[in-house]
Amino acid sequence: MPCATTAHVQLCASELVTNVIQHLGEGIPVTVRVWCDGGGPTRLEVTDPDPCALPVLRAAVGVEEESGRGLALLDALTVRWGVTQGPSHKTVWCEVREGPSDGGVVPGRGAVSVASVSTGRRPEPESVAGTTTAGRGPR
């Protein structure tokens, strides 16, 4: 199955970066990484400098509420997702497979300000071991 480089990856990235802005504030440095090793799922990582502000998947959100659906959307679109914590940062990650509705079409251009964006090969593991603290395993 080809790597997912489509609307689902963009939507997940948007939701994760929005969570950083909403919960930590504007101007927080964020690193976004996207890569795919061969035909496996596309991995997306969003790293921010607050190891304590962890995402929480809400069981239900009221119809009138304006927020609270981002992680439910991420959960529905991904193969799995989670959080890895380091001593001075956390990384929320997810793995996305190209779906039949993706069709390789990328929606219109958009921009998100981030400290750094990298694509390509999977980075080497960090020297400090992280701990998965939340998320969902493979379906």
Side-chain angles (χ1 to χ4, degrees):
M1 183 173 278
C3 297
T5 56
T6 61
H8 288 174
V9 175
Q10 291 179 353
L11 184 56
C12 290
S14 175
E15 290 298 333
L16 293 178
V17 171
T18 297
N19 281 350
V20 174
I21 294 167
Q22 182 175 359
H23 297 288
L24 300 181
E26 294 180 17
I28 298 295
V30 175
T31 301
V32 177
R33 293 181 193 91
V34 180
W35 74 89
C36 182
D37 292 332
T42 298
R43 184 162 172 115
L44 166 68
E45 295 182 350
V46 175
T47 302
D48 69 63
D50 188 341
C52 298
L54 300 176
V56 176
L57 178 61
R58 295 172 65 180
V61 178
V63 175
E64 299 296 320
E65 294 185 55
E66 293 182 11
S67 64
R69 295 171 183 83
L71 286 178
L73 182 60
L74 184 86
D75 191 61
L77 293 176
T78 63
V79 176
R80 63 185 185 145
W81 68 276
V83 181
T84 303
Q85 289 178 280
S88 62
H89 69 277
K90 75 168 167 304
T91 300
V92 182
W93 57 268
C94 63
E95 294 178 353
V96 182
R97 288 201 183 273
E98 185 170 352
S101 62
D102 286 352
V105 176
V106 178
R109 299 179 65 144
V112 175
S113 296
V114 295
S116 64
V117 176
S118 64
T119 61
R121 297 194 54 80
R122 180 182 184 130
E124 294 299 317
E126 296 182 27
S127 58
V128 177
T131 307
T132 300
T133 58
R136 176 177 50 77
R139 294 182 203 232

